[in-house]
C-alpha cells in the first residue's frame, strides 16, 4: 500500500464501474470479448487487495439492466466468464474470508449462472471479512422501482403506513439494504458518468474517474483512488 495512505480514513464501501475492456482488446487487435477475459484478472486483484487493506464493502458493476442490448455472443461471453470466475475463485475467496452477495434481478439469468451463484454464496456464508456485492442485471432505477413496489405492498397489507416512509426506511428496501452508502465510486475507462449504478446510494459518494482501462486497473490504481478520496473534504451539504 502507498505509504501516504491514511489507514484511519479509509472508505468503508467502494463501488467500481469496470469500463474499458473492449477498448483494451481493440488496442491490441484482439476481439472485444478477450478484453472481458483479461478483465477477470483485475476483478481478482480488486477483491484480494480490498480484502487486504481492510475495505468493508466492495460493489462491482458486472452487468447492467442495459447490457442485454449488446451482441448475443458478448452477453454469452460475459455470463460464461462470471460462472467460470465463481467456480474457479470461490475456494480462494472463501479462504480470504470474503462474503459474496449479488445485487440485481437474478431471475432473468441463465440457469447455469444461477447455480454458480448459489454455490459460491453458500460456500462463503459463514465468512466475516470483505463483503463483495456483484451487481448483475442491476440498474439503479430498477433498484428504486423494486424498493417502491415492496413498500407499496407493505402499505397495502397494512404492515406500514405512508407516514413511516422516510429515507432510512427506503434505503432498507434497496438491494444494498445491509450496507453503508458507497463512500467512493471509481470508474475506469475515461467516461465521467454513473450509468445507472447505485443511483440512490451514490447521493454523497466521492467520484473518481480515470482513463486507465479496467484490465490495467491494479493495486497502484486503487491506491491512487483512495488518495484522491482522502484529499476530499466531505461536508454532506453542511459547512466546515
Ligand atoms: C465495460 O467495458 C464492461 C462491462 C460491460 C462488463 C464488466 C464485467 C466484468 C469485468 C465481469 C465482472 C465479473 C465479476 C465476477 C465481478 P466495455 O466493454 O464497455 O469497454 P469499452 O467501453 O472499451 O467498449
Amino acid at each position: 500500500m502507498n505509504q501516504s495512505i491514511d489507514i484511519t480514513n479509509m472508505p468503508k464501501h467502494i463501488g467500481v464501474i469496470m469500463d474499458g475492456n473492449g477498448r483494451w482488446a481493440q488496442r491490441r487487435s484482439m476481439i472485444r470479448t478477450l478484453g472481458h477475459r483479461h478483465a477477470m484478472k483485475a476483478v481478482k486483484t480488486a477483491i484480494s487487495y480490498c480484502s487486504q487493506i481492510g475495505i468493508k464493502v466492495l460493489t462491482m458493476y458486472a452487468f447492467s439492466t442495459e447490457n442485454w442490448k449488446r451482441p448475443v455472443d458478448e452477453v454469452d461471453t460475459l455470463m460464461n466468464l462470471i460462472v467460470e470466475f465463481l467456480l474457479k475463485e470461490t475456494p480462494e475467496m472463501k479462504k480470504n474470508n470474503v462474503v459474496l452477495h449479488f445485487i440485481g434481478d437474478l431471475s432473468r439469468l441463465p440457469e447455469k449462472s444461477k447455480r454458480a451463484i448459489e454455490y459460491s454464496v453458500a460456500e462463503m456464508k459463514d465468512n466475516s471479512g470483505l463483503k463483495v456485492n456483484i451487481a448483475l442485471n442491476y440498474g439503479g432505477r430498477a433498484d428504486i422501482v423494486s424498493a417502491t413496489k415492496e413498500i407499496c405492498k407493505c402499505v397495502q397489507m397494512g404492515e406500514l403506513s405512508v407516514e413511516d416512509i422516510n429515507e432510512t426506511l427506503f434505503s432498507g428496501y434497496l438491494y444494498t439494504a445491509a450496507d453503508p452508502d458507497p463512500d467512493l465510486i471509481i470508474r475506469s475507462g475515461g467516461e465521467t458518468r454513473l450509468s445507472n449504478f447505485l443511483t440512490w446510494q451514490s447521493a454523497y459518494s466521492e467520484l473518481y474517474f480515470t482513463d486507465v482501462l479496467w484490465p490495467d486497473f491494479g493495486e497502484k490504481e486503487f491506491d491512487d483512488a483512495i488518495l484522491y478520496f482522502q484529499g476530499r473534504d466531505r461536508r454532506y451539504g453542511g459547512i466546515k
Side-chain angles (χ1 to χ4, degrees), residues 24-204:
W24 186 93
Q26 277 158 350
R27 281 180 200 174
R28 289 163 177 78
S29 307
M30 295 173 176
I31 49 166
R32 287 178 52 81
T33 48
L34 271 177
H36 296 312
R37 180 161 283 284
H38 280 86
M40 302 319 285
K41 209 179 82 209
V43 170
K44 190 175 151 126
T45 303
I47 296 174
S48 64
Y49 193 54
C50 284
S51 176
Q52 187 193 319
I53 64 178
I55 304 299
K56 304 282 180 237
V57 186
L58 173 68
T59 300
M60 313 189 86
Y61 205 7
F63 195 88
S64 75
T65 45
E66 289 72 37
N67 285 151
W68 298 106
K69 293 185 212 150
R70 294 191 176 213
V72 177
D73 73 318
E74 187 168 338
V75 170
D76 285 350
T77 300
L78 274 169
M79 291 295 161
N80 288 335
L81 280 172
I82 292 167
V83 170
E84 195 181 308
F85 177 86
L86 292 175
L87 299 182
K88 185 159 167 264
E89 301 300 335
T90 290
E92 168 111 7
M93 287 192 282
K94 184 176 178 178
K95 201 181 77 200
N96 288 339
N97 203 20
V98 166
V99 179
L100 198 61
H101 183 73
F102 284 78
I103 62 172
D105 178 6
L106 305 184
S107 66
R108 198 179 156 185
L109 300 180
E111 278 310 312
K112 197 169 54 172
S113 307
K114 290 185 195 163
R115 278 199 302 276
I117 290 170
E118 234 169 76
Y119 153 76
S120 295
V121 169
E123 279 292 300
M124 285 174 254
K125 73 174 184 354
D126 296 326
N127 282 353
S128 57
L130 171 72
K131 181 178 180 195
V132 176
N133 290 321
I134 299 184
L136 207 47
N137 193 20
Y138 175 86
R141 290 181 174 182
D143 196 359
I144 294 168
V145 169
S146 108
T148 307
K149 283 185 173 166
E150 285 307 309
I151 293 170
C152 288
K153 279 187 209 156
C154 293
V155 172
Q156 258 177 348
M157 311 259 284
E159 290 165 8
L160 265 184
S161 77
V162 171
E163 287 67 41
D164 295 331
I165 303 171
N166 57 32
E167 293 180 12
T168 309
L169 178 126
F170 198 92
S171 297
Y173 283 81
L174 294 167
Y175 286 120
T176 50
D179 307 322
D181 285 340
D183 306 290
L184 169 66
I185 293 182
I186 298 172
R187 181 172 186 145
S188 63
E191 303 293 353
T192 51
R193 56 178 172 263
L194 289 178
S195 302
N196 208 10
F197 183 54
L198 302 176
T199 306
W200 169 284
Q201 299 88 332
S202 61
Y204 283 101

Side-chain angles (χ1 to χ4, degrees), residues 202-213:
S202 61
Y204 283 101
S205 303
E206 298 298 336
L207 308 177
Y208 178 77
F209 300 105
T210 169
D211 288 335
V212 174
L213 305 175

